[in-house]
Amino acid sequence: MRKLLAMLFLTVSTFVNAQMPTSTVPLPPDIAAIKKANVLIVAMTKKDVPPFFSGEGDNIRGLDVEIAKRIGVLLGVPVQFRRDAESFAEVVEQVRDGRADIAVSKLSVTGPRLQVVRFSDPYIKLRQSLVINRLWLSQNSQGKEVYQVVRDFNGKISFIKNSSYDTFARVNFPNATFLPEEKWDVIIDKVIRGDIAAAYRDEFEIKKIAFEKPEAAISTKSITISDSVDNIAIAVNPKAIQLLSIVNYVIKNEYNNIDTKKLMDRYKAEKK
């Protein structure tokens, strides 16, 4: 009886499948190219940025890694992480010229970048922040409120070279002396010693200083610029309109409520 039912089910299934029309609508060119290659190439910087991404091969992990893999699942292809970019600017360039399909690399939206790639909706919005040497701040306050000193900032300020803050600093602090560096740790040490007045980055990275270097609070002060937002988003090639829709779908449905506290919780968990 079971064998007869199984044969009947197989016959009916074959008939139904034969009657179902096969879609002949071609895929959009950007999706068709990814399907043909059977891989989604994701650009990230060479330097780890936990908890966004860190590690290599099977050990790569982080928020950006999770997002990229979810996009790959929706496309039905495996994900390949490209980790050879020396800077965030190079990550953008890899997407622009087609060496990568998308960039998920704690990438800030800036005016110059918007001219060469498309950006998704932000999956994180961070406020811009400064860590300032306390002695410099005291010497330059002269009765002014801290926000006035920041607004008219005219000291030596440092940030990661070729990062979004290289752009933000020149726009927001036109009277400052700009001293970009390759390494964030070097920048923070210079602020602590008083070699420079301030370091400029997002509020999450500034808060990490209190966790990693609690002694820095003796000689430095953290200041959040409430009206300056750093939008973190995913970059895609200017022609990849359908891919951008898929990326935005993943962000809207799965990654639309991430804040600084959740990032810090992730970061501390990874450090254990």
Side-chain angles (χ1 to χ4, degrees), residues 29-53:
D30 53 340
I31 304 302
I34 292 171
K35 290 281 192 179
K36 182 178 180 180
N38 194 37
V39 65
L40 178 71
I41 301 176
V42 180
M44 292 176 166
T45 59
K46 180 183 293 186
K47 181 176 174 57
D48 289 348
V49 185
F52 291 88
F53 54 93

Side-chain angles (χ1 to χ4, degrees), residues 211-229:
F211 178 74
E212 296 174 340
K213 297 183 177 183
E215 71 281 0
I218 299 172
S219 57
T220 66
K221 179 180 179 62
S222 299
I223 298 171
T224 299
I225 308 172
S226 59
D227 60 350
S228 294
V229 178

Side-chain angles (χ1 to χ4, degrees), residues 44-45 47-55 60-68 81 83 88 104-108 123-126 201-202 204-205 208 230-233 258-260 262-264 266-267 270:
M44 292 176 166
T45 59
K47 181 176 174 57
D48 289 348
V49 185
F52 291 88
F53 54 93
S54 58
I60 192 167
R61 62 178 180 173
L63 174 62
D64 286 2
V65 175
E66 292 175 16
I67 295 174
F81 294 100
R83 296 289 311 277
F88 293 98
V104 197
S105 186
K106 198 198 174 192
L107 203 60
S108 302
Y123 58 95
I124 302 175
K125 292 185 178 183
L126 299 170
R201 211 171 176 186
D202 64 75
F204 170 66
E205 296 295 339
K208 276 169 58 178
D230 183 1
N231 291 299
I232 308 300
I258 303 168
D259 56 22
T260 305
K262 289 179 180 178
L263 285 176
M264 280 303 302
R266 277 177 170 267
Y267 180 70
E270 286 188 10

Side-chain angles (χ1 to χ4, degrees), residues 41-47 49 53 64 81-108 113 116-119 123 161-163 233-238:
I41 301 176
V42 180
M44 292 176 166
T45 59
K46 180 183 293 186
K47 181 176 174 57
V49 185
F53 54 93
D64 286 2
F81 294 100
R82 179 167 188 158
R83 296 289 311 277
D84 59 345
E86 296 287 348
S87 66
F88 293 98
E90 187 175 344
V91 166
V92 173
E93 187 62 20
Q94 288 180 350
V95 172
R96 186 199 68 78
D97 66 16
R99 284 177 286 163
D101 298 306
I102 61 175
V104 197
S105 186
K106 198 198 174 192
L107 203 60
S108 302
R113 291 173 182 175
V116 296
V117 295
R118 290 180 182 268
F119 275 100
Y123 58 95
K161 186 177 181 180
N162 291 325
S163 72
I234 296 171
V236 305
N237 187 276

